[in-house]
Amino acid sequence: MSFKTLSSDLARHMPKLRGKMQDNFSLDRITWFRVGGPAQLLFQPADEADLAYFLSSLPGDIPVLPIGLGSNLLVRDGGIEGVVIRLGRGFNDIAILNETDIRVGTAAPDVRVAGAAAEAGISGLSFYRGIPGSIGGAVKMNAGAHGTETCEILKFCQAVNRQGEIVTLPVEELGYSYRHSNIPDDLIVTSAVYQGAEGDSATIRQEMQEVADYRETVQPVKSRTGGSTFKNPPGESAWKLIDEAGCRGINIGKARVSELHCNFLINEGDARAGDLENLGEHVRMKVRENSGILLEWEIKRLGIPENGPGGRRVHPE
Ligand SMILES: Cc1cc2nc3c(=O)[nH]c(=O)nc-3n(C[C@H](O)[C@H](O)[C@H](O)COP(=O)(O)OP(=O)(O)OC[C@H]3O[C@@H](n4cnc5c(N)ncnc54)[C@H](O)[C@@H]3O)c2cc1C
């Protein structure tokens, strides 16, 4: 499966572009599941001004989607139509602003931000030690763990919209709830300012070590996975419902429900995105039969199914 190439037409209309464009870039190279078809165009901007220039010049009918480190994504086998934007160098600076505040580029991995905050004696960010994504994904998903969520420490973020305008959004405007924000799918968050509290570096580092040790014992952190597949329904644990429905360890081909943590799906080798999605849907059906509860996907499923109807589905949810 490949899409019509876009880069040469776009390059002609954007003579000052400094970032890198790649046609038909295989997303299985960068998703944690190691599955997924191509992005019609992958664009990696040089910096925020370059991103703004690109978006302001891009024809309005071409869809745009940011991705981070791909740790919460199930990209379908037919790939993603339009432009996928991935931030890299130019978006990963970390600056300590004062005793409690830290500004970070959204390409920075959560783990590195937790480390920088610890070094500076800023507490409140050590839960990021256990989340294998980038700050962009954390701000969009309201990533959380060990009793803290992103929205509790975020002050505001900066972003570039589809028209190429740079906007600043305070946390109150981001519509946060459990693993959810109202950030539009085509808004590219470029930096974020967090407020922690004054703390002691050694104590924070100890907390981070405890987070890391705990993860190793309860999650298949070294597998090809997308983290928690389904959100916990109010007052319930998704993993318990899945276990009670008899789904621990079941598989479709090389796609398997983890034995260690049954809210995780695993690609044991050459699974297709379709196998993982079908397995997830099978689990949802079994849980509904057993408990009457319909689980909601936490993993973001994106793109076109391999033999999808007309190949037009880009954002299914
Ligand atoms: C082993 C494992 C453990 C995990 N544990 C946790 C956990 O404890 N808690 C938790 O909350 N999550 C957890 N996750 C899920 C995942 O790590 C988080 O959701 C993370 O925040 C996703 O970040 P990412 O950079 O990988 O984003 P991606 O997976 O690449 O994208 C996720 C979403 O964010 C959007 N996005 C990414 N970057 C940007 C940007 N710059 N601007 C706007 N939107 C953007 C994408 O469009 C997509 O909608 C886990 C995943 C794994 C594999």
Side-chain angles (χ1 to χ4, degrees), residues 103-123:
R103 188 183 61 231
V104 299
T106 48
D110 299 358
V111 175
R112 196 156 76 78
V113 174
E119 203 60 36
I122 298 176
S123 70

Side-chain angles (χ1 to χ4, degrees), residues 32 65-73 87 106 110 130-145 179 183-185 187-190 215 219-221 225-228 264 298 300 302:
W32 261 64
L65 182 83
I67 61 168
L69 293 178
S71 65
N72 205 43
L73 297 183
L87 308 182
T106 48
D110 299 358
I131 304 181
S134 66
I135 293 300
V139 169
K140 166 80 174 183
M141 298 300 300
N142 192 17
R179 302 293 176 269
I183 295 174
D185 284 343
L187 187 77
I188 322 296
V189 182
T190 50
R215 294 268 156 170
Q219 291 183 352
V221 288
T225 179
S228 293
F264 279 49
E298 177 173 328
K300 293 275 182 194
L302 305 171

Side-chain angles (χ1 to χ4, degrees), residues 174-238:
L174 299 176
Y176 277 124
S177 58
Y178 168 56
R179 302 293 176 269
H180 172 83
S181 69
N182 65 10
I183 295 174
D185 284 343
D186 59 1
L187 187 77
I188 322 296
V189 182
T190 50
S191 66
V193 172
Y194 291 94
Q195 182 169 44
E198 284 184 61
D200 164 61
S201 291
T203 313
I204 301 167
R205 270 195 224 99
Q206 175 62 29
E207 261 172 43
M208 285 173 58
Q209 191 55 50
E210 285 164 18
V211 167
D213 293 346
Y214 175 75
R215 294 268 156 170
E216 295 266 328
T217 57
V218 298
Q219 291 183 352
V221 288
K222 299 204 168 92
S223 302
R224 299 170 172 198
T225 179
S228 293
T229 310
F230 303 108
K231 295 183 184 185
N232 289 320
E236 303 277 354
S237 293

Side-chain angles (χ1 to χ4, degrees), residues 160-182:
V160 183
N161 67 21
R162 183 61 184 78
Q163 291 70 45
E165 298 155 344
I166 298 174
V167 293
T168 299
L169 301 164
V171 65
E172 300 78 29
E173 286 180 19
L174 299 176
Y176 277 124
S177 58
Y178 168 56
R179 302 293 176 269
H180 172 83
S181 69
N182 65 10

